[in-house]
Amino acid sequence: MYRPTDTPSDIYIWDWIVRVCHWGLVATFVTNYFIVEPGRLYHEIAGYMAVALISIRIGWGILSTKFDGSKRVATEYASFSKVSLRQQAFAEHIQHVKQKKIPTHHGHNPFGWLMIMAVITLLLGLGITGFMMEEIDAMFGNSTLEWIHSIMADVLYGCVLVHVAAVFAVQYIGNIQLVRPMLTGWRKR
Ligand code: HEM
Ligand code: HEM
């Protein structure tokens, strides 16, 4: 969708599905980790919403290339076909940071893709252990499950802290807009 504020020098990076899933995940994580009482109804609702959002994002990572095109429904950047975890990809990214210039047409760097895989694994793990504690009578109040669930929540929190610090550091050192595209979709060329 073209808006009058978009200039031809901007590149569309993150489509609305990626952005809605991202900020929805932020909201549900903050809700469950900091705000509501663990294990109660609102915790359950926010937890299942987080699982739904990450599932949509997984589906989108697989399907988005099919919708990629001129209508800006999707961008190639969201697709899992863009994942590259070769050693060369890491070396190239580090080189770009050292040169203080990350190309503006780049999507996630390989460290970013690793973070996404960690978030996917941890959220699905939280959903499964949470479901087992709530819905399977024999598991109700199971202390091992509770322990695994709380460790996964803490590890996810650790990932989030590293993620947010990395976003701001890479944005500053690599001289590239990262937060704006996750908010508006657009990055200055
Ligand atoms: C609970 C907190 C958070 C979680 C679970 C989280 C998770 C994620 C995930 C899964 C992605 C990949 C997006 C995708 O391809 O679908 C991502 C990307 C991103 N996140 Fe977050 N995030 C969190 C908080 C934040 C905050 C607070 C900010 C900004 C201040 C932020 C900024 C970004 C940016 C800029 C990207 C894109 C990075 C790039 O260009 O490669 N995130 N985040
Ligand atoms: C974003 C996803 C989630 C996060 C970040 C999260 C986080 C947490 C945290 C921090 C605790 C406290 C652990 C402790 O006592 O040290 C907890 C407990 C719990 N969570 Fe989750 N959770 C998530 C999803 C879910 C889901 C989907 C369910 C189930 C439907 C669930 C059910 C529970 C239950 C039953 C407890 C134990 C409550 C108690 O101590 O009595 N959680 N969770």
Side-chain angles (χ1 to χ4, degrees):
M1 185 205 320
Y2 184 82
R3 291 165 304 174
T5 51
D6 303 335
T7 68
S9 63
D10 285 351
I11 323 173
Y12 192 48
I13 304 281
W14 302 120
D15 56 65
W16 67 270
I17 297 185
V18 171
R19 286 178 283 139
V20 166
C21 288
H22 181 265
W23 295 112
L25 278 181
V26 174
T28 49
F29 175 81
V30 169
T31 302
N32 269 5
Y33 201 81
F34 295 109
I35 302 173
V36 297
E37 207 177 319
R40 305 300 286 269
L41 181 64
Y42 290 122
H43 185 93
E44 238 183 279
I45 294 172
Y48 287 138
M49 278 174 70
V51 172
L53 288 165
I54 203 71
S55 306
I56 292 170
R57 180 61 182 96
I58 294 170
W60 193 231
I62 297 165
L63 289 176
S64 53
T65 37
K66 292 199 195 308
F67 299 89
D68 194 4
S70 57
K71 287 185 186 147
R72 290 176 180 159
V73 174
T75 67
E76 58 184 300
Y77 300 103
S79 167
F80 290 159
S81 65
K82 289 283 153 186
V83 178
S84 172
L85 298 176
R86 284 173 300 118
Q87 209 181 335
Q88 196 194 342
F90 286 93
E92 267 172 20
H93 174 65
I94 291 168
Q95 197 59 27
H96 288 141
V97 174
K98 278 189 183 157
Q99 291 165 346
K100 300 192 186 323
K101 194 71 205 124
I102 296 178
T104 47
H105 63 278
H106 276 201
H108 292 311
N109 68 59
F111 295 101
W113 281 118
L114 283 183
M115 151 81 187
I116 296 170
M117 287 171 195
V119 171
I120 289 174
T121 311
L122 291 164
L123 279 173
L124 294 181
L126 282 162
I128 292 166
T129 48
F131 173 85
M132 287 166 81
M133 286 191 285
E134 289 284 351
E135 309 300 337
I136 303 178
D137 286 348
M139 304 274 180
F140 190 80
N142 182 301
S143 58
T144 309
L145 270 185
E146 234 176 81
W147 181 76
I148 297 173
H149 189 86
S150 74
I151 294 287
M152 283 193 291
D154 291 344
V155 173
L156 182 54
Y157 180 46
C159 289
V160 165
L161 293 180
V162 172
H163 165 60
V164 176
V167 163
F168 285 105
V170 171
Q171 171 164 279
Y172 179 72
I173 301 167
N175 224 331
I176 184 171
Q177 287 184 333
L178 294 182
V179 178
R180 181 177 173 237
M182 197 42 93
L183 288 166
T184 66
W186 297 85
R187 170 182 294 152
K188 219 175 251 325
R189 234 177 249 279

